Amino acid sequence: MKAARLHLLLHVFLSAGVLVHTFEPFTTTLVVGVGAALGRTIYNYLHESCDSKWIVFNATGLQVDLQSKLFGQHIASRIILKAVTGFMNNDNPKKPLVLSLHGWTGTGKNFVSQLIADNIYKEGMDSSFVHIFTSELHFPHLSHFDTYKSQLQQWIKGNVTNCGRSMFIFDEMDKMQPGLIDSIKPYLDYYEKLDGVSYRKAIFIFLSNAGGDGIIQAALDFWKAGRDRDELELKDLETVLSVSVFNNKKSGLWHTSLIDKNLVDFFVPFLPLEYRHVVECAMAEMKARGVRPDQNVAHQVAKDVVYFPKTERVFSVKGCKTISSKLDYYT
């Protein structure tokens, strides 16, 4: 459908160019104007722009995705849905949305970022308005700290100037140099504009393993007490999470003013995954591949995963991170 429409647009545009040679000067000017307009139409059709054609929030889509694709994360699902929906439905937010996602590897932090992008941007994670920073890739050298601060400020300002509905994802925050993230504090604060630029409609997402130990301990305590993990609530984790992240000297959020000044809207805990969640991940992966989900295969994959504590074997060490590669072996 897209190819057919593009072919038609190109045909009309080229036809307009041919017609230029058959009219008098006044008429030629008119036809050239039409051709230019058609050229802009084709350009806008092919190139992503910061408007409602390319950026539109799908609240129902996000809800369905969180319910059907994210497993074992009842707290995170609830927070993410309410926070993103409330923010995107607010035409005049007072500040950018700032989410800090915490938990062990393979629990769904990166995946949730993808789901958010998929339900805001037509191009999803491939959108030119979604920007990902990885500590070890973009900020690897301690000696370049001041340069990184300046570059980070310029990147944020330049991209938000280009599109106010930009999204910034900072992965591996636990590996970022402490103090670096403070360079973007002004952009996350309650300013209407900074140097003529408003940052209030942007979204900032921090991903980190920091605080994961505290989350695991809380989940393990619930399990040992015979309580259902679904009884765990944000209030059981939020304080210990924010404090542990703030005081973690190895974290990019160590003593950061973003926490000290309450600029992080939500600390979102991602719980360790159990055997049943790994089975669900395997089933979902098979479905995503267009393969008929097979419970037997899913259980084979789940049994091949390493669990901890060593004796109880309650939680998956790597969550669902290795499911895709293990499915390659079993299918």
Side-chain angles (χ1 to χ4, degrees):
M1 187 68 181
K2 182 176 180 180
R5 184 179 174 188
L6 175 59
H7 178 77
L8 177 62
L9 286 170
L10 286 172
H11 176 73
V12 175
F13 178 63
L14 292 173
S15 298
V18 173
L19 286 172
V20 168
H21 300 288
T22 66
F23 290 101
E24 296 299 321
F26 178 80
T27 310
T28 299
T29 302
L30 176 63
V31 174
V32 169
V34 172
L38 285 170
R40 286 194 297 272
T41 300
I42 294 173
Y43 181 87
N44 290 335
Y45 181 81
L46 294 175
H47 292 79
E48 185 181 24
S49 54
C50 187
D51 56 40
S52 58
K53 178 183 176 182
W54 296 91
I55 304 175
V56 57
F57 178 54
N58 183 355
T60 302
L62 180 59
Q63 182 178 17
V64 170
D65 282 348
L66 290 171
Q67 289 175 346
S68 62
K69 298 179 181 179
L70 183 67
F71 308 111
Q73 305 299 349
H74 65 284
I75 299 175
S77 293
R78 184 166 59 247
I79 297 172
I80 295 296
L81 181 61
K82 288 186 177 181
V84 176
T85 300
F87 179 76
M88 292 300 296
N89 288 339
N90 186 351
D91 292 330
N92 187 31
K94 300 301 180 184
K95 64 180 290 296
L97 177 62
V98 183
L99 304 173
S100 193
L101 315 186
H102 299 267
W104 268 27
T105 184
T107 52
K109 302 184 299 294
N110 288 87
F111 185 56
V112 161
S113 301
Q114 177 188 323
L115 295 182
I116 295 173
D118 286 345
N119 287 284
I120 293 178
Y121 304 95
K122 184 178 179 180
E123 297 295 306
M125 291 294 285
D126 292 328
S127 171
S128 58
F129 308 126
V130 176
H131 312 280
I132 303 175
F133 301 95
T134 303
S135 297
E136 291 188 332
L137 176 63
H138 295 99
F139 319 112
H141 306 294
L142 292 173
S143 59
H144 295 170
F145 183 81
D146 289 335
T147 300
Y148 293 150
K149 287 179 65 175
S150 177
Q151 289 178 339
L152 192 52
Q153 290 174 336
Q154 291 172 11
W155 287 335
I156 299 295
K157 181 178 181 180
N159 283 301
V160 175
T161 299
N162 182 46
C163 182
R165 279 290 188 195
S166 293
M167 178 186 292
F168 301 93
I169 301 170
F170 292 84
D171 199 3
E172 300 179 342
M173 282 298 298
D174 46 305
K175 298 177 182 177
M176 181 181 283
Q177 300 175 42
L180 178 57
I181 201 65
D182 286 301
S183 63
I184 69 169
K185 173 189 172 294
Y187 308 138
L188 275 58
D189 216 325
Y190 290 83
Y191 296 111
E192 185 172 351
K193 287 185 179 181
L194 289 171
D195 294 331
V197 180
S198 174
Y199 297 84
R200 291 182 168 188
K201 291 187 176 181
I203 297 177
F204 293 81
I205 303 177
F206 304 129
L207 311 179
S208 176
N209 291 345
D213 290 343
I215 297 171
I216 288 172
Q217 189 58 55
L220 191 58
D221 289 343
F222 260 61
W223 181 83
K224 288 181 177 178
R227 300 179 63 183
D228 192 318
R229 66 186 276 136
D230 289 341
E231 294 179 30
L232 266 170
E233 298 180 15
L234 179 60
K235 65 181 181 181
D236 299 315
L237 300 165
E238 190 172 33
T239 300
V240 66
L241 181 57
S242 60
V243 171
S244 65
V245 171
F246 184 75
N247 292 322
N248 186 339
K249 292 184 178 181
K250 296 182 179 180
S251 169
L253 294 172
W254 179 66
H255 283 196
T256 176
S257 59
L258 306 188
I259 296 178
D260 192 38
K261 301 300 182 182
N262 298 309
L263 296 180
V264 177
D265 298 300
F266 295 95
F267 289 93
V268 186
F270 281 70
L271 302 174
L273 301 182
E274 299 176 8
Y275 178 91
R276 59 191 170 102
H277 303 125
V278 177
V279 171
E280 290 179 308
C281 287
M283 295 288 285
E285 178 65 19
M286 283 185 273
K287 183 178 180 180
R289 294 183 179 191
V291 177
R292 184 178 178 180
D294 189 322
Q295 282 279 355
N296 292 327
V297 173
H299 281 286
Q300 281 183 308
V301 170
K303 289 175 182 176
D304 199 28
V305 169
V306 179
Y307 296 88
F308 72 97
K310 190 172 182 179
T311 53
E312 294 91 341
R313 300 184 76 250
V314 182
F315 303 124
S316 169
V317 171
K318 295 184 179 180
C320 284
K321 193 166 188 176
T322 60
I323 296 304
S324 181
S325 59
K326 289 185 181 299
L327 268 177
D328 292 336
Y329 176 78
Y330 286 104
T331 57

